[in-house]
Amino acid sequence: MVATLATASLFPVTWPKPQSGAGTFGKVGNEPGSVDLRGNKTKSVNSGGMQVKANSQAPTEVNGSRKRVTNGLKTEGNLITHAPRTVINQLPDWSVLLASITTIFLAAEKQWMMLDWMTKRPDLDPFGLGKIVQDGLGFRENFLIRSYEVGADRNASIETIMNHLQETALNHAKSVGLMGNGFGSTPEMFKRNLFWVVTKMHVIVDRYPTWGDVVQVDTWIARNGKNSMRRDWLLRDCKTGDILIRASSNWVMMNKETRRLSKIPDEVRGEIEHLFVDAPPVVDDDCRKLPKLEETTADYVRNGLTPRWSDLDVNQHVNNVKYIGWVLESAPQVVEKYELASITLEYRRECRKDSVVKSLTSILGGGDDGDNSGIADSNHVTCQHVLLSEGGGDGAPGGEIVKGRTEWRPKYI
């Protein structure tokens, strides 16, 4: 059967001429006609041992002329026209298969070019996984500053920097096997419903990376008292090796059910103490006490700030980075004309999804004369900030959520 079909596809079949004077097909090749289930007449054509059946319909009369359709071919009278059967039109349609093969080859070529480009850019981490450094005590990860991470001045925003620092810290915990089922929690912490919360953050910016720059972030952890831990970061320019940003933070544990601070259990300490680096903090601790700030003494006030769903992390409280955006919301005049040089934040209580927040800012000093009214002409501006709870969630109205201090320098044109 296969040989017969192959022969038929390669060699044209000679069709016998229809008998003249008949309005319908009669006996062709001495084979009787038959009727199929639809009432159509079928004729068998015997050609060299191969039978070909042809279906025909009853003739129809159009404008006094009898016409019939046979195998999709229109006939008029006794004249039947057939499409020429050649080797070419008997072959299957290979266009779909050819298009698929072409798509696969183009995709493979693109991936190969991308990998070849990555090998020529050792500053990039092609898979975004980072790596362990400093004999297993530190972690390093590279980031490309993308277009949606910069502001109008083409510099990376402080929120972008803080997100990269936070991402590196979590990847560090995951790489050394300390990531349990919780978000940044060790296996023993997960058993006890504990998770890390930051109590203080200090960031100093020497220069902001710009769009297209590749930055290298190094991080490590160190002992910081009996019931807390310190994490430091250094952010460098991959091209020059210059240190752009230094940051240091303090972390404690909180119980997920009671939402209260907890001591570090001995089991948890045993999981992390072998990773502690014996080194001083990269940023000197800012021991200056932040004065109390109220709405009556604030220079700028922004009310009615509420978290969105995208602002919450898996621990069901507002992400640490979101607080920075709220802090800067109440200082539009400073943000417009100055560049953030350093920021110190003290986290007092968590903010949850139903909280309503008020942002206050007071200018502590501008320039050498300390005249707050002349900040437009000052080379240095210091501001004090506080985020207050207006109610909602678990925070009582007026309770402090975050206190902070920022230092600013003029934007360079």
Side-chain angles (χ1 to χ4, degrees):
M1 181 64 182
V2 176
T4 304
L5 294 177
T7 304
S9 63
L10 295 177
F11 300 99
V13 179
T14 304
W15 291 82
K17 296 182 179 181
Q19 298 179 2
S20 60
T24 60
F25 282 119
K27 293 184 178 180
V28 180
N30 297 324
E31 293 292 336
S34 61
V35 179
D36 62 8
L37 295 177
R38 296 176 297 178
N40 295 332
K41 295 181 180 180
T42 63
K43 302 293 183 177
S44 298
V45 180
N46 194 341
S47 176
M50 181 184 68
Q51 292 184 353
V52 180
K53 290 187 177 182
N55 296 332
S56 62
Q57 298 178 351
T60 57
E61 184 171 340
V62 180
N63 296 329
S65 175
R66 296 173 62 85
K67 296 183 178 181
R68 75 178 80 239
V69 176
T70 304
N71 285 341
L73 300 177
K74 183 184 296 184
T75 65
E76 183 172 359
N78 295 329
L79 180 60
I80 302 177
T81 58
H82 298 277
R85 303 186 65 181
T86 62
V87 175
I88 300 300
N89 62 19
Q90 292 300 310
L91 293 176
D93 187 3
W94 296 94
S95 59
V96 177
L97 180 59
L98 182 60
S100 301
I101 295 175
T102 304
T103 303
I104 294 173
F105 273 98
L106 290 177
E109 183 182 10
K110 182 178 180 181
Q111 292 294 329
W112 180 263
M113 293 176 61
M114 180 64 68
L115 292 175
D116 182 64
W117 176 71
M118 289 293 185
T119 58
K120 297 178 181 179
R121 290 289 304 272
D123 54 345
L124 290 181
D125 183 3
F127 302 104
L129 300 178
K131 60 182 178 180
I132 299 294
V133 294
Q134 299 176 0
D135 297 329
L137 298 178
F139 184 78
R140 176 175 296 167
E141 189 168 358
N142 295 349
F143 295 94
L144 173 66
I145 303 301
R146 305 182 184 277
S147 60
Y148 52 82
E149 296 175 327
V150 302
D153 55 358
R154 299 171 66 92
N155 290 335
S157 63
I158 186 62
E159 290 92 342
T160 294
I161 301 302
M162 297 295 287
N163 279 324
H164 289 333
L165 300 184
Q166 182 173 265
E167 180 69 12
T168 308
L170 291 174
N171 290 338
H172 180 202
K174 184 177 181 180
S175 297
V176 296
L178 296 182
M179 184 74 75
N181 292 331
F183 189 63
S185 300
T186 67
E188 290 294 334
M189 290 175 60
F190 180 75
K191 294 178 182 178
R192 294 165 172 78
N193 286 324
L194 299 176
F195 63 96
W196 292 108
V197 293
V198 60
T199 59
K200 190 172 183 179
M201 190 82 178
H202 190 189
V203 182
I204 296 179
V205 181
D206 295 327
R207 179 173 66 85
Y208 284 93
T210 60
W211 177 26
D213 287 348
V214 179
V215 295
Q216 175 185 288
V217 183
D218 287 277
T219 185
W220 59 91
I221 57 177
R223 185 178 288 103
N224 186 49
K226 185 177 181 180
N227 290 307
S228 65
M229 177 187 71
R230 190 186 81 240
R231 178 175 285 278
D232 292 344
W233 294 271
L234 282 178
L235 189 147
R236 294 183 174 90
D237 187 331
C238 275
K239 187 176 181 179
T240 63
D242 297 337
I243 296 178
L244 306 182
I245 297 170
R246 295 166 288 151
S248 184
S249 60
N250 296 335
W251 298 77
V252 296
M253 290 188 179
M254 176 179 284
N255 189 287
K256 187 177 294 185
E257 295 180 353
T258 64
R259 316 304 290 192
R260 295 181 180 275
L261 298 182
S262 172
K263 294 182 178 181
I264 300 180
D266 293 336
E267 294 81 0
V268 176
R269 191 181 303 276
E271 290 178 313
I272 62 176
E273 63 181 358
H274 67 281
L275 298 173
F276 288 159
V277 176
D278 186 12
V282 296
V283 177
D284 294 334
D285 190 15
D286 189 352
C287 298
R288 292 177 294 174
K289 185 177 180 181
L290 295 174
K292 187 176 181 60
L293 179 60
E294 298 179 348
E295 187 171 356
T296 55
T297 60
D299 295 314
Y300 304 98
V301 178
R302 177 67 185 274
N303 298 312
L305 299 173
T306 57
R308 300 172 298 178
W309 278 107
S310 59
D311 299 329
L312 304 179
D313 59 24
V314 296
N315 294 318
Q316 298 303 312
H317 61 200
V318 174
N319 189 284
N320 303 325
V321 180
K322 183 60 182 179
Y323 293 129
I324 299 177
W326 283 346
V327 164
L328 303 182
E329 281 288 334
S330 59
Q333 183 178 356
V334 180
V335 174
E336 181 180 356
K337 299 179 180 179
Y338 288 84
E339 178 182 79
L340 182 64
S342 69
I343 182 170
T344 302
L345 296 177
E346 295 180 1
Y347 298 87
R348 299 303 179 91
R349 67 179 66 188
E350 64 177 344
C351 178
R352 308 190 73 176
K353 64 177 182 178
D354 298 326
S355 301
V356 181
V357 180
K358 179 186 301 183
S359 179
L360 309 179
T361 295
S362 176
I363 300 176
L364 298 179
D368 297 333
D369 56 358
D371 184 8
N372 297 350
S373 61
I375 63 172
D377 300 325
S378 301
N379 292 325
H380 179 80
V381 175
T382 302
C383 297
Q384 179 189 352
H385 310 271
V386 65
L387 296 179
L388 301 176
S389 173
E390 292 189 278
D394 296 333
E400 291 182 348
I401 300 175
V402 174
K403 296 179 67 175
R405 177 188 291 109
T406 56
E407 296 182 355
W408 305 77
R409 55 179 173 245
K411 287 185 177 181
Y412 296 100
I413 306 300

